[in-house]
């Protein structure tokens, strides 16, 4: 669809007054660009977040590694100090202590104390001045005493809590003491106390490369720094803290990276992300459209499935799906209610290759139903039409069985069940329980029979006077010919022609008697005929059966009967008695319509027939005044009549009979009301194609 050309007035409008369609288009483009910008911004943010997280992970890993090194270094120092504790002799002890302190920079002082914890010998680290120059050792040994007491109690070396040792020039060190008791036969002979500097311990555990990029420090729980190491100060952006747990000592290690937050430019990964975002710009648009369409299709499918489920549950028609082997794969609640079996009972039985059959199949029909299923499947797979040219989806009647064993008629409408590739996977059936319909049809048939019998009796009652008039003529003629015959017999001796005249009179008597018999037989057959079987009958025979009765009334009113039957009409397939009654009722109505409103010379009733394809149309035309509009609306309503002596059942029964044969009945006025040009009734009956 193309947009219409803008008018000059619209071209002069400001940008804010764009046409709605163009405004929506720009709005969509703006929304798309905005979404892409947001997506790229989020992608950059995620990239920066990733780099930030990676840097943080590196700091965390370094902190964990440094804790391991500190623990390993502390273990080695403890082993070296333990070896020194068993050195005998002051000179040897002094020499080994000096060697050990030169090998380990964190060791600042080694002391040998007696059993009363008095310092007997001490060695200072060669890498620094005296530790207790400003304050005596005796003033800074509270933590040491506690550690030694714990070591004796635990029977193993113990570290003291950290404490500050002031140095000259306003400087100082944060140190810890390692106390190792010397036990002999359960008795404490002395103590070896090693003083370690936290700053030196950190430097010993870290590498120069790590020290150039990070700051290492021991901190207290409130964040107070005890000691630090590293060539730079931490930026405070990437920081990790780990707990160093030693015997009797718990320290919190903090690793602070000197690197700040990641920079946007220059940054290789960020540049790659930006390039990739631009390269995938078009792909994102296509994917977004595809996702939108897929979501819409899924919503439509979900709604369709929900609607179908609701419709299936609300249907009173049973639905059943079967695979190619005849096994039932789906039934709706209406089908289960119809047969009285649950869905589980129906779905777990049946099939062409199984011995069991569906529980709703009567046992006497199982083989017949399986054969019918095989034939229908074979015809569909071979792409051959059903017998008689029937559509395979056309309904057929069968018999099912309820749980209590009751058989009931069912109308099945079946169609092939196809998958998405067009391959048949089974059959889908709609089942209608027609047992109630059959019962109503039987009641209706019985009621129609009673009404038809009543209508025939009423017709015969109305024709009683006509019969008396019609029979008077042949009876009077018989009486006259009989009297003449008797008179001729008296003249037999004198007149030689008398025998011939008597013979002629007797022949006339026989003719009139036969005429009276035909009249009586026509009425008798009409009243007594009751069989309902449909038979093939020629149109001429149908007309011949009712014409004697029609002519009875026609003679009384002076109506002329005309019959227009073209040659070659096919036979009818109908219930002869019922159709004869229809034809008789319409003929009598036409005669009665002309009695009061049509001149005697114009009273003509025309009976005709013609072929209309596979139907035969029969017409009854009169020359009466036609049917008024007010009467026409109720003409076929039961018990509606315009005659005081009528029952109002004639035309209603006529239409019912014709519709039961599959035909239709209507009428048409041949002129304006009051023009007295007549009315024609038409009805159609099926032709007997088998003949």
């Amino acid at each position: 669809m193309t947009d219409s050309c803008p008018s000059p007035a619209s071209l002069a409008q400001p940008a804010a007054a764009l046409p709605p369609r163009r405004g929506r288009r720009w709005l969509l483009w703006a929304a798309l660009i905005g979404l892409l910008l947001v997506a790229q911004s989020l992608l950059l943010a995620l990239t920066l977040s990733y780099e930030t997280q990676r840097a943080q992970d590196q700091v965390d890993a370094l902190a964990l590694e440094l804790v391991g090194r500190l623990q390993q270094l502390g273990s080695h120092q403890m082993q070296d100090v333990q070896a020194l504790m068993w050195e005998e002799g002051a000179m040897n002890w002094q020499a080994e202590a000096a060697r050990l302190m030169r090998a380990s920079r964190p060791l600042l002082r080694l002391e040998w104390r007696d059993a009363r914890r008095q310092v007997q010998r001490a060695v200072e680290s060669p890498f620094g001045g005296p530790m207790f120059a400003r304050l005596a050792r005796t003033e800074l040994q509270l933590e040491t005493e506690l550690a030694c007491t714990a070591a004796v109690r635990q029977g193993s070396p113990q570290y003291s809590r950290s404490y500050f040792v002031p140095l000259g020039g306003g400087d100082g060190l944060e140190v810890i003491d390692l106390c190792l008791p010397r036990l002999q036969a359960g008795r404490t002979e002395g103590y070896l106390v090693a003083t370690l500097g936290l700053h030196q311990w950190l430097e010993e555990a870290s590498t120069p490369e790590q020290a150039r990029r990070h700051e290492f420090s021991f901190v207290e729980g409130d964040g107070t720094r005890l000691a630090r190491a590293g060539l730079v100060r931490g930026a405070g952006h990437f920081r990790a803290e780990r707990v160093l747990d030693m015997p009797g000592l718990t320290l919190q290690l903090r690793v602070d990276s000197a690197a700040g937050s990641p920079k946007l430019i220059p940054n290789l990964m960020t540049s790659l992300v930006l390039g990739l975002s631009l390269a995938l710009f078009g792909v994102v648009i296509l994917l977004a459209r595809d996702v939108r369409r897929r979501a819409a299709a899924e919503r439509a499918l979900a709604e369709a499935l929900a609607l179908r489920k609701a419709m299936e549950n609300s249907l009173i028609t049973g639905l059943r799906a079967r695979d190619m082997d005849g096994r039932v794969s789906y039934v709706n609640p209406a089908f289960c209610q119809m047969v009285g079996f649950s869905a589980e009972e129906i779905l777990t039985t049946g099939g062409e290759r199984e011995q069991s059959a569906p529980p709703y199949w009567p046992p006497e029909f199982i083989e017949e139903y399986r054969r019918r299923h095989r034939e229908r499947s074979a015809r569909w797979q071979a792409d051959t039409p059903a017998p008689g040219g029937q559509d395979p989806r056309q309904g057929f009647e069968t018999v099912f069985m309820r749980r209590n064993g009751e058989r009931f008629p069912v109308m099945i409408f079946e169609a092939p069940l196809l998958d998405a590739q067009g391959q048949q996977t089974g059959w889908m059936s709609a089942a209608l329980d027609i047992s109630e319909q059959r019962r109503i049809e039987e009641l209706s048939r019985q009621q129609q029979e009673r009404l038809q019998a009543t209508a025939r009796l009423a017709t015969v009652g109305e024709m009683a006077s006509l019969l008396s008039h019609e029979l008077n003529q042949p009876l009077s003629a018989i009486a006259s010919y009989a009297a003449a015959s008797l008179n001729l017999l008296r003249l037999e001796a004198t007149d030689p022609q008398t025998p011939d005249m008597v013979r002629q009179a007797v022949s006339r008597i026989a003719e009139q008697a036969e005429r009276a018999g035909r009249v009586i037989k026509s009425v008798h057959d009409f009243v007594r005929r009751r069989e309902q079987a449909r038979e093939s009958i020629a149109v001429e025979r149908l007309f011949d059966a009712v014409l004697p009765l029609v002519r009875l009334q026609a003679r009384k009113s002076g109506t002329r009967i005309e019959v227009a039957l073209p040659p070659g009409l096919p036979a009818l397939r109908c219930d002869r008695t019922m159709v004869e009654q229809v034809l008789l009722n319409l003929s009598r109505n036409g005669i009665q319509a002309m009695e009061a409103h049509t001149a005697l010379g114009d009273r003509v009733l025309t009976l005709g027939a013609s072929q209309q394809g596979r139907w035969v149309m029969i017409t009854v035309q009169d020359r009466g005044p036609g049917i008024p509009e007010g009467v026409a609306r109720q003409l076929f309503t039961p018990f509606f009549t315009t005659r005081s002596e009528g029952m109002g059942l004639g035309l209603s029964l006529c239409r019912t009979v014709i519709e039961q044969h599959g035909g239709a009945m209507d009428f048409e006025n041949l002129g304006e009301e009051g023009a007295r040009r007549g009315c024609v009734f038409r009805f159609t009956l099926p032709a007997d194609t088998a003949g």
Side-chain angles (χ1 to χ4, degrees):
M1 182 181 293
T2 59
D3 296 339
S4 58
C5 296
S7 63
S10 62
L11 292 175
Q13 292 177 352
L18 290 174
R21 182 177 301 175
R22 185 177 301 176
R24 288 194 299 269
R25 186 181 305 164
W26 282 108
L27 182 61
L28 290 176
W29 276 107
L32 178 60
I33 294 174
L35 290 176
L36 289 176
L37 290 176
V38 170
Q40 289 184 350
S41 301
L42 290 177
L43 192 57
L44 288 175
L46 290 175
T47 304
L48 295 176
S49 175
Y50 167 75
E51 293 196 359
T52 301
Q53 185 64 38
R54 186 178 63 174
Q56 181 64 43
D57 292 342
Q58 292 176 352
V59 173
D60 291 339
L62 179 59
L64 187 61
E65 179 184 356
L66 192 59
V67 167
R69 290 180 184 175
L70 289 171
Q71 290 177 341
Q72 184 180 10
L73 184 59
S75 298
H76 289 166
Q77 291 172 350
M78 184 180 296
Q79 293 174 2
D80 293 340
V81 173
Q82 284 178 336
L84 180 64
M85 184 174 59
W86 298 101
E87 288 291 336
E88 298 293 341
M91 297 300 295
N92 291 336
W93 187 89
Q94 292 282 352
E96 288 298 325
R99 184 189 61 78
L100 179 59
M101 297 186 70
R102 284 194 299 271
S104 178
R105 294 181 65 88
L107 282 174
L108 301 180
R109 180 183 172 91
L110 286 173
E111 298 174 349
W112 173 255
R113 299 190 179 196
D114 58 14
R116 293 178 298 175
R117 300 175 188 171
Q118 298 297 322
V119 178
Q120 301 297 320
R121 295 185 293 272
V123 178
E124 298 281 350
S125 173
F127 302 109
M131 289 185 57
F132 301 103
R134 294 192 61 185
L135 290 178
R137 177 58 168 155
T138 56
E139 298 181 5
L140 295 174
Q141 62 178 0
L142 176 61
E143 301 296 340
T144 307
E145 292 289 339
L146 294 176
C148 290
T149 301
V152 173
R153 184 171 61 252
Q154 298 290 336
S156 61
Q158 295 290 321
Y159 285 93
S160 71
R161 294 178 57 185
S162 66
Y163 59 94
F164 183 76
V165 178
L167 300 176
D171 201 359
L173 288 174
E174 191 75 23
V175 298
I176 59 174
D177 289 335
L178 173 62
C179 182
L180 291 85
R182 181 173 178 175
L183 303 176
Q184 188 70 27
R187 183 170 56 85
T188 303
E189 294 182 349
Y191 300 88
L192 183 59
V193 177
T195 303
L196 292 85
L198 296 182
H199 169 73
Q200 291 79 3
W201 198 11
L202 286 174
E203 288 185 341
E204 186 74 13
S206 60
T207 64
E209 177 65 24
Q210 294 172 346
R212 282 194 296 268
R213 303 176 59 182
H214 300 85
E215 178 187 11
F216 310 107
S217 59
F218 285 118
V219 296
E220 293 184 347
D222 58 357
T224 303
R225 183 185 288 112
L226 300 177
R228 66 168 298 277
L231 302 179
V232 296
R233 287 287 182 179
H237 193 79
F238 300 111
R239 179 183 295 176
E241 293 184 358
R242 290 291 184 272
V243 174
L244 175 62
D245 194 4
M246 303 295 287
L249 173 66
T250 300
L251 293 174
Q252 188 169 355
L253 173 66
R254 174 183 294 172
V255 178
D256 196 350
S257 175
S261 60
K263 299 297 187 291
L264 186 62
I265 298 175
N267 190 303
L268 178 60
M269 181 171 290
T270 305
S271 302
L272 291 176
V273 169
L274 284 173
L276 184 62
S277 299
L278 295 176
L280 295 179
F281 181 83
V283 178
V284 169
I285 296 177
L286 295 177
L287 288 178
R289 183 169 61 179
D290 182 73
V291 169
R292 186 168 57 251
R293 290 179 177 177
R294 186 182 298 272
E298 290 178 353
R299 286 196 303 270
L301 179 60
E303 293 175 358
L305 290 176
L307 178 62
R308 192 201 73 173
K309 187 66 176 178
M311 293 174 62
E312 291 174 357
N313 292 337
S314 64
L315 285 177
I316 61 174
T317 302
L319 298 180
R320 175 193 65 182
R322 296 190 293 172
D323 58 17
M324 298 302 295
D325 294 331
R327 187 181 297 104
V328 180
S329 58
Y330 167 78
V331 288
N332 70 335
F335 190 91
C336 298
Q337 185 177 4
M338 180 189 305
V339 298
F341 294 95
S342 65
E344 290 75 12
E345 293 174 315
I346 298 175
L347 298 181
T348 55
T349 58
E352 180 62 31
R353 301 193 178 118
E354 298 182 6
Q355 296 297 326
S356 61
Y360 55 84
W361 279 7
E364 63 271 18
F365 295 141
I366 291 179
E367 294 303 324
E368 178 184 351
Y369 289 176
R370 285 179 172 170
R371 177 183 54 80
R372 181 173 62 191
H373 177 73
R374 288 194 296 268
E375 292 176 353
R376 289 175 62 83
S377 299
R379 283 198 303 270
W380 178 260
Q381 293 175 357
D383 198 19
T384 57
Q390 295 180 352
D391 189 339
R393 293 171 297 181
Q394 191 172 8
F396 62 92
E397 187 173 338
T398 186
V399 177
F400 282 173
M401 180 179 69
R402 304 190 200 275
R403 179 182 285 275
N404 59 5
E406 175 190 355
R407 274 66 169 172
F408 64 98
V410 179
M411 180 65 71
I412 301 293
F413 296 90
E414 201 163 44
L417 187 61
L418 306 179
D419 59 12
Q421 288 73 35
Q423 299 295 325
Q424 183 183 4
T425 60
W427 298 88
M428 190 67 193
S429 308
L432 296 175
D433 183 357
I434 58 175
S435 56
E436 185 66 19
Q437 178 182 347
R438 290 290 181 265
R439 187 184 67 84
I440 295 176
E441 289 177 355
E442 179 63 21
L443 292 176
S444 176
R445 185 189 62 80
Q446 296 175 3
Q447 185 68 19
Q448 288 294 331
E449 288 182 359
R450 288 192 291 268
L451 290 176
Q452 291 163 15
T454 302
R456 285 197 296 270
L457 292 175
T459 302
V460 171
E462 294 178 3
M463 297 174 65
S465 60
L466 299 177
L467 288 174
S468 63
H469 174 74
E470 186 68 19
L471 292 177
N472 279 334
Q473 294 182 4
L475 291 177
S476 299
I478 290 172
S480 299
Y481 285 125
S485 299
L486 292 175
N487 293 332
L488 290 174
L489 289 175
R490 296 190 189 99
L491 300 175
E492 182 179 3
T494 58
D495 189 353
Q497 297 181 350
T498 299
D500 294 334
M501 297 175 64
V502 172
R503 188 179 299 109
Q504 186 178 10
V506 173
S507 299
R508 295 290 186 271
I509 291 174
E511 291 176 359
Q512 296 299 322
E514 183 180 0
R515 176 185 174 188
R518 285 199 303 269
V519 172
I520 295 174
K521 184 176 182 301
S522 297
V523 176
H524 180 271
D525 290 344
F526 180 77
V527 175
R528 297 287 296 175
R529 191 179 295 133
R530 298 187 181 188
E531 61 274 10
Q532 295 297 320
R534 296 188 180 183
E535 57 181 315
S536 178
I537 181 173
V539 180
E540 295 84 354
R541 291 182 57 193
L542 191 66
F543 278 46
D544 292 341
V546 299
L547 280 175
L549 300 177
V550 173
R551 288 193 174 102
L552 286 178
Q553 187 170 357
R555 292 191 188 98
K556 180 180 178 181
S557 62
T559 302
R560 187 170 70 256
I561 305 298
E562 294 182 356
V563 179
L565 292 178
L569 287 176
L572 300 175
R573 190 73 181 175
C574 63
D575 188 327
R576 178 177 179 178
T577 302
M578 297 171 66
V579 175
E580 286 177 359
Q581 182 174 345
V582 171
L583 190 56
L584 179 61
N585 284 346
L586 295 179
S587 301
R588 291 178 62 250
N589 288 344
I591 293 173
Q592 292 173 357
M594 294 184 290
E595 287 180 350
H597 303 88
T598 305
L600 188 59
D602 295 334
R603 296 178 185 175
V604 179
L605 182 70
T606 304
L607 305 180
S610 61
Q611 186 173 1
Q612 306 286 335
R614 63 186 185 92
W615 300 88
V616 175
M617 178 181 290
I618 298 177
T619 59
V620 178
Q621 179 179 345
D622 61 60
R623 295 186 181 179
I627 299 176
E629 182 179 354
V631 176
R633 290 193 296 266
Q634 306 181 65
L635 193 61
F636 295 101
T637 303
F639 305 106
F640 173 77
T641 180
T642 58
R643 294 181 297 168
S644 58
E645 71 280 4
M647 298 177 61
L649 295 175
L651 290 178
S652 175
L653 286 174
C654 290
R655 170 172 278 188
T656 302
V657 169
I658 298 304
E659 290 177 350
Q660 287 177 349
H661 284 76
M665 173 181 287
D666 62 356
F667 68 94
E668 179 185 2
N669 287 321
L670 300 180
E672 298 294 335
E673 186 175 354
R676 301 181 184 279
R677 294 185 58 188
C679 176
V680 58
F681 277 81
R682 309 182 187 91
F683 63 90
T684 56
L685 293 172
D688 187 7
T689 56

